[in-house]
Amino acid sequence: MAEVCYVGVDVGTASVRAALVTRDGLLRSTAEEPISIWEPQSDHYVQSSTEIWEKCCTVVKNLKESCWNKAAHFFDLPDFLSWKATGSLTRSLCTLVCKWTYCPPEGWDASFWTSIGLEDLLENNFSKIGSVTCSPGSPLGGGLTQEAAVDLGLVPGTAVGASLIDAHAGGLGVIGADVKGFNLPCEDQPITSRMAMICGTSTCHMAISEQPLFVPGVWGPCLSAMVPDMWLNEGGQSATGRLIDHMVKGHAAYTQLQEQAQQRSNIFSYLNSHLSLMANAHSAVDLLGSSLHVWPDFHGNRSPLADPTLKGMVVGLSLSQTLDDLALLYLATVQALALGTLHILEAMKEAGHDIRTLFLCGGLSKNSLFVQIHANATGLPVVLPDQMEAVLIGAAVLGACASQDYTTIQEAMEKMAKVGKVVQPNQELKSFYEKKYKVFLRLFAHQREYQALMNHR
C-alpha cells in the first residue's frame, strides 16, 4: 500500500517552499523557489501574486520529481492561493481576523468600511472580500480543480485545507506536540500553557486561550485564527535575526570574523564557540554581558509597547574593536532579544495568560546560544521540534485535517508535531538576569526621558 503523504506549502517573503510530510509528521522531501521582489521607490516593495502561484506549482511538481471597482475579489495571499487551487471563495478565518478586521461570530463591521470610503465592499453581502468563512484546515470546495491539479501535477479532487499565515502555520507545527516523558511544566496542562515563537528575520510570539484576553501592545485576541475555537494573542519583535545580522556585519571586526569562520558552517557557530572560550570552563557565557547592554528596538517596538518611534540603544562601548568586542556585542544583542521576549511574557501574564513552556521554530531556533539564552532569561524550558521546518509541518497539518484523516486540528498537531530537544534554563543565572532585566527596562525609561527633554519647549 502506498504511503499517505500531505503537501505543505509555505509562501515566505523571499521564496516559496513545499514539503512532503507523512501522517506521522516526518518530512520526506522539500523544494524551494525564489520570489521576485521589486522596489519601485525607497521602502516600497512589490511582488507578483501570479508569479507566486507559478512558483507554488513549480515546487509541488519538484516534490514529485525528488483599482477597487475593476476587481471582482480581494484576497489576502493565502486565500488567493486557496482560490487558485480549488475555485472556492471561502476565506480562512486566520487571514480575515488577523488582517482584515473580521470579527466572528458577528462578521464584518459595515460602519468601518463606510467610514474609510470603501462602502462598495458591502455589496452582495461582502462578496468581494469574503461572505463565507471557515476555520483553518477545513476542506475547501471539492478539492483541487482539474486545472490546478494539472498545474501542480496532482490528482483532481485532492483535499485542500483552509490556509494559515506563515507564522501561524509555524505555531501550529510546534505548539501541539505530545510532551509526555520530557518532564515539562506544560505536561498534563492545557495547550494554553504553551507559547510558540517563530524566530527568523523578525519574531512572532503566539499564545492561545479559551476565553478572550486583551493584552496591551499585543495583537488580538483573534478567534480561530490559529487553533479553531480558541483565541490567539500574537506578540512580536520587528527585528530579531535582522538585528543580529546588522550588529555583527556592521562591526569593524566582521572581516576578521569571516576569515576565522571559514572552517565552520556559519559565522554564528564560530561566535558561539568563541564566546565559550572567552568565558572559559569556570563561568557561564551569559555573564560576559554584565557590562554591555542593548535596547533592541532598532526598528521600533511592536510588543508590548507598540511604539514605532523607539530606537535602539547600546550602553557600555569602548574604543576597542577586536573580535572579542564583536562577540560581546553579539551576545548582548541576543540577550536583549531574550529580555524583549520576557517583556512580552510579563505583559501576557498580567493579562491572564499562564505560559509555562516556550516552543521555538524558525531559523534562529537553530542557533544554540539564542535558544539557551531565551531559556535562561525567561526562566522557562524551551522545546525544539524534531523537524526543523515547522511552518511546512503546520501547513501539512491543514491538509491532513482537510482530508479528514484527523478529526481535529488538535489531534493532527499532537500526532504530527514532535519534540526534538528540550533546553532547560540555568537556574544559577536567575539573579543575573533579574538584574539585567532591570537595566533593560531602565534603558526604555531613559529613552522616553530623553525624548521628553528634547521635545520640551
Side-chain angles (χ1 to χ4, degrees), residues 198-219:
I198 298 82
C199 317
T201 303
S202 57
T203 294
C204 292
H205 301 72
M206 308 283 201
I208 53 178
S209 58
E210 294 179 355
Q211 300 298 324
L213 298 175
F214 292 85
V215 187
V218 170
W219 295 351

Side-chain angles (χ1 to χ4, degrees), residues 10 178 182 203 226 238 302 354 381 389 392 401 422:
D10 167 32
D178 183 357
F182 288 92
T203 294
M226 186 168 79
S238 301
R302 177 177 157 189
D354 181 21
E389 302 291 357
L392 294 172
C401 289
V422 174

Side-chain angles (χ1 to χ4, degrees), residues 372 374-382 422-429:
Q372 185 64 63
H374 270 74
N376 295 345
T378 63
L380 298 177
V382 173
V422 174
V423 177
Q424 295 287 351
N426 182 344
Q427 298 297 343
E428 294 181 0
L429 294 171

Side-chain angles (χ1 to χ4, degrees), residues 67-72 74 120-121 123 128:
C67 315
W68 290 95
N69 290 336
K70 292 183 180 178
F74 296 92
D120 58 304
L121 296 181
E123 297 172 2
K128 285 187 177 182

Side-chain angles (χ1 to χ4, degrees), residues 116-198:
I116 62 173
L118 296 176
E119 57 273 3
D120 58 304
L121 296 181
L122 278 61
E123 297 172 2
N124 299 320
N125 190 29
F126 297 92
S127 62
K128 285 187 177 182
I129 54 176
S131 55
V132 181
T133 64
C134 67
S135 296
S138 301
L140 293 174
L144 286 181
T145 63
Q146 185 74 37
E147 180 183 4
V150 171
D151 288 343
L152 293 164
L154 296 174
V155 179
T158 297
V160 176
S163 58
L164 284 169
I165 300 165
D166 53 359
H168 299 61
L172 209 64
V174 293
I175 201 170
D178 183 357
V179 298
K180 287 185 177 61
F182 288 92
N183 194 30
L184 288 165
C186 66
E187 185 174 347
D188 298 324
Q189 297 295 319
I191 196 173
T192 54
S193 65
R194 309 176 182 192
M195 184 171 79
M197 289 178 56
I198 298 82

